[in-house]
């Protein structure tokens, strides 16, 4: 629809190596262009958690080439919704932005068996957020 803004969502966790990477990948995949997605970390890791990469590959989403990004004030300002996942006080707050805090276990140091239930909870959260922000055409 002309003049309709595409919602922008920022997922934030401390290392941007697990939860925020999974959430961003699910929203990108399921949103199919209906939402702009980014993720970042307050203290980004060197690489995405290999168990997270494996768990996402199991559901057909390849994040092996993703690189953790540093959280910037500009990324927060550009977003309509900021979803935090354990970054605490390191997440900048801007009036007028919508903030959600998803309380999820940290997959750091966990094997793929421990990451799977976290991945599945994140998918459920993302599906709800997507339905709210940008429902699929035809209500599907």
């Amino acid at each position: 629809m002309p003049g309709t803004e595409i919602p922008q969502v920022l997922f934030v966790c401390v290392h941007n190596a697990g939860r925020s990477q999974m959430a961003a990948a699910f929203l990108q995949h399921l949103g199919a262009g209906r939402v702009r997605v980014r993720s970042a970390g307050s203290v980004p890791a060197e690489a995405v958690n290999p168990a997270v990469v494996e768990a996402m590959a199991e559901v057909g989403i390849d994040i092996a080439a993703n690189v953790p990004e540093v959280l910037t004030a500009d990324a927060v300002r550009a977003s309509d919704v900021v979803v935090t996942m354990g970054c605490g006080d390191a997440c900048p707050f801007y009036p007028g932005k919508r903030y959600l805090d998803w309380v999820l276990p940290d997959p750091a140091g966990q094997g793929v068996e421990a990451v799977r239930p976290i991945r599945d909870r994140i998918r459920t959260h993302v599906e709800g957020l997507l339905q709210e922000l940008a429902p699929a055409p035809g209500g599907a």
Side-chain angles (χ1 to χ4, degrees):
M1 288 180 255
T4 301
E5 289 291 320
I6 295 176
Q8 297 192 43
V9 178
L10 171 65
F11 293 102
V12 183
C13 66
V14 176
H15 300 297
N16 189 223
R19 295 166 289 188
S20 56
Q21 289 283 346
M22 288 189 282
F26 273 129
L27 188 55
Q28 187 88 33
H29 178 76
L30 299 170
R34 299 190 318 271
V35 180
R36 287 202 179 100
V37 183
R38 50 174 76 82
S39 70
S42 50
V43 184
E46 295 279 323
V48 176
N49 178 333
V52 166
V53 172
E54 183 179 344
M56 292 302 286
E58 290 176 352
V59 295
I61 300 175
D62 181 5
I63 62 169
N66 289 16
V67 177
E69 300 285 336
V70 69
L71 176 63
T72 66
D74 287 343
V76 175
R77 279 194 293 269
S79 300
D80 298 304
V81 179
V82 178
V83 180
T84 59
M85 295 175 253
C87 71
D89 294 338
C91 294
F93 179 83
Y94 290 94
K97 298 294 174 190
R98 179 175 172 206
Y99 289 85
L100 301 173
D101 186 40
W102 294 351
V103 179
L104 299 157
D106 189 347
Q110 304 293 321
V112 71
E113 298 80 18
V115 173
R116 285 183 190 119
I118 300 167
R119 173 201 64 201
D120 296 344
R121 283 180 57 195
I122 289 171
R123 182 180 184 130
T124 299
H125 283 304
V126 166
E127 288 171 341
L129 181 62
L130 181 60
Q131 183 61 32
E132 177 188 330
L133 292 178

